[in-house]
Amino acid sequence: MSTFALPATLLRRAARSLSALAAVVASVLAFLALVVLTDGAGSGLAAWLPVLAAGTALARWRSRSRSRSRGRAARLVPFLPVVVAAALTAPVCVPTVPTARQYPPDLPFVATERWSLDTGSSVAVYHYPPAGPGPRHPVPLVYLNGGPVRGISLLDHRFLQLLAGQGYDVYAYEQPGGGRSGLLPMDQYTADRSVRDLGAFVDRLGAGAVDVLGFSSGAVVLTRALADPGTAARVHRAVIAEPGPMDGPTARIAGHRGRESARGLALDPTGPRSTHVPRYAVAFGLMRLGLLSPGTGLIGQAEGDNAFTAADLGGDTASAYCARDAHRIPAEDSARNFSFSPAASLRVQRTVRDSASIAPQLGRSGTPAMLMIAECSSQVRQWATAVLAADPAIQRTQFMPGVGHHMWNGLDGNNDRAAAVIGAFLQDQPAPLPNSPTREGIPAFLRDHE
């Protein structure tokens, strides 16, 4: 063999290897493109089968064009990229968790009731009757948790127990799709449906107007309920704690945030992640990018709920705590109780983002309300101040020092402080903290957080 033959042979082999690699990459990209174009139809098979068929046809053509003198083995080489690409993409089409909803087991410390609402929703309900030596408060208190479409965490259950121990008759329910509540068709997960469910829940309770504590996305539901006269009539007093954006115009605000949170400083949650499995990494990733609809045919709603874990939230949990608490973030939930519906959550958030301004309707609200804002909030400040500016019935604002978005977090007496602020308002007693920011003080408040 000449001195030039060996390099030439190596170059040809390298070229063939690069060609094979390019064919694999092209097939995978074509598969992902078809998943997007078909919205994941048939669990991804509507994308996988055409790519496999096209790759096989191309490999046959290339095999036939090869000289018969190369032998049978050489003619099979063009099929290798097809086999590799099929092996890489096939796991995206195969479920690894049950496709029927697997609900968390009932909690050992509180009964789980299941109520059918007039809206057609089936919700899991938790009741903490008033306890403790103090006086009983006559108006029931309903809690709307955050998420959206997330189960009530054990951390929140402990806070509800604290409120009940102070004499409040506490009710909480998990919104449809979250926790132990029943699922809805994907197109029925809307912010307006959540408002109607709140009204139907109060009617089912049958105790007249109730006090409502809404946290995070639950505060969004409460705010939108106050803008709806029919639902607002069912609310005696409203506590709006750390609200998300109340409508489309507010959602598009890119404003100031609170003091530094623990995001990027604390270790991410440990445990299994669904996003380490190709099927769910592709599904959740493309949904988050808006390339797949929440009702995608790639994974069903129930399967997605079963697959999603607390570890999938990554740094979102740390963003609810102050930077100084990065080394001691409490366990908010257990793996057995944790429940989150990523698809339904995205669907609800999109209906808020796509909605018109509710400020004119909220401006006619007459329900006494209080706004709570955390010092280290991960929320955009204007999400809260937009509510304050629009709702004339907000009687006080309590800026909570030393806490992040999750204000009742079990650290340093934060639960007691939050309960004191909430209790003072519900009982129409003097506020434990200064009324800040006021409506007039919104510009100065935002300047302080630039």
Side-chain angles (χ1 to χ4, degrees), residues 52-387:
L52 176 63
T56 302
L58 180 60
R60 282 179 177 173
W61 178 81
R62 293 185 63 191
S63 176
R64 288 171 183 170
S65 67
R66 285 173 170 253
S67 171
R68 292 184 176 275
S69 62
R70 295 189 182 185
R72 179 179 178 82
R75 291 197 299 274
L76 293 177
V77 170
F79 290 93
L80 182 59
V82 180
V83 173
V84 172
L88 289 174
T89 54
V92 177
C93 306
V94 180
T96 60
V97 300
T99 56
R101 183 70 174 105
Q102 304 293 298
Y103 291 97
D106 286 355
L107 295 166
F109 52 81
V110 63
T112 303
E113 303 177 42
R114 290 171 176 82
W115 290 9
S116 296
L117 305 181
D118 288 344
T119 56
S121 297
S122 175
V123 297
V125 181
Y126 310 94
H127 180 208
Y128 291 101
R136 301 311 195 244
H137 304 290
V139 180
L141 173 61
V142 174
Y143 176 60
L144 299 176
N145 66 301
V149 198
R150 180 175 177 175
I152 299 175
S153 71
L154 297 180
L155 196 64
D156 280 5
H157 275 290
R158 287 193 286 271
F159 183 62
L160 300 181
Q161 289 174 316
L162 172 63
L163 293 174
Q166 296 179 355
Y168 295 96
D169 192 14
V170 181
Y171 288 84
Y173 68 94
E174 290 167 320
Q175 296 181 30
R180 297 162 185 83
S181 291
L183 307 182
L184 294 175
M186 188 57 64
D187 61 358
Q188 294 187 27
Y189 288 106
T190 67
D192 289 343
R193 173 61 174 264
S194 299
V195 171
R196 293 196 299 273
D197 281 342
L198 172 60
F201 180 83
V202 177
D203 289 346
R204 174 75 164 73
L205 191 57
V210 301
D211 295 329
V212 181
L213 165 61
F215 167 64
S216 192
S217 63
V220 175
V221 175
L222 177 55
T223 301
R224 295 178 69 92
L226 297 178
D228 177 76
T231 311
R234 299 172 170 93
V235 181
H236 176 253
R237 282 181 171 253
V239 178
I240 303 168
E242 279 286 284
M246 64 182 183
D247 54 25
T250 311
R252 289 187 283 273
I253 294 175
H256 314 301
R257 299 182 186 270
R259 307 287 185 231
E260 185 182 10
S261 78
R263 189 183 187 100
L265 302 175
L267 297 175
D268 285 346
T270 58
R273 295 189 180 210
S274 67
T275 48
H276 288 169
V277 179
R279 178 172 175 82
Y280 306 112
V282 170
F284 296 147
L286 293 178
M287 274 194 284
R288 191 174 184 84
L289 292 172
L291 298 175
L292 289 181
S293 73
T296 176
L298 184 57
I299 60 170
Q301 178 190 169
E303 182 189 350
D305 295 1
N306 294 337
F308 202 88
T309 69
D312 286 318
L313 294 175
D316 285 353
T317 299
S319 70
Y321 294 83
C322 291
R324 57 180 168 269
D325 296 326
H327 66 288
R328 56 172 191 157
I329 292 176
E332 294 191 340
D333 216 345
S334 68
R336 285 170 60 81
N337 186 63
F338 177 82
S339 170
F340 182 74
S341 178
S345 180
L346 281 173
R347 166 75 182 163
V348 172
Q349 291 177 66
R350 288 177 185 176
T351 65
V352 172
R353 186 188 63 207
D354 295 340
S355 67
S357 172
I358 64 168
Q361 296 91 330
L362 191 58
R364 295 190 286 271
S365 175
T367 303
M370 177 179 71
L371 179 65
M372 298 175 70
I373 305 176
E375 179 185 8
C376 309
S377 177
S378 56
Q379 308 285 76
V380 173
R381 289 300 193 193
Q382 283 92 332
W383 294 350
T385 58
V387 179

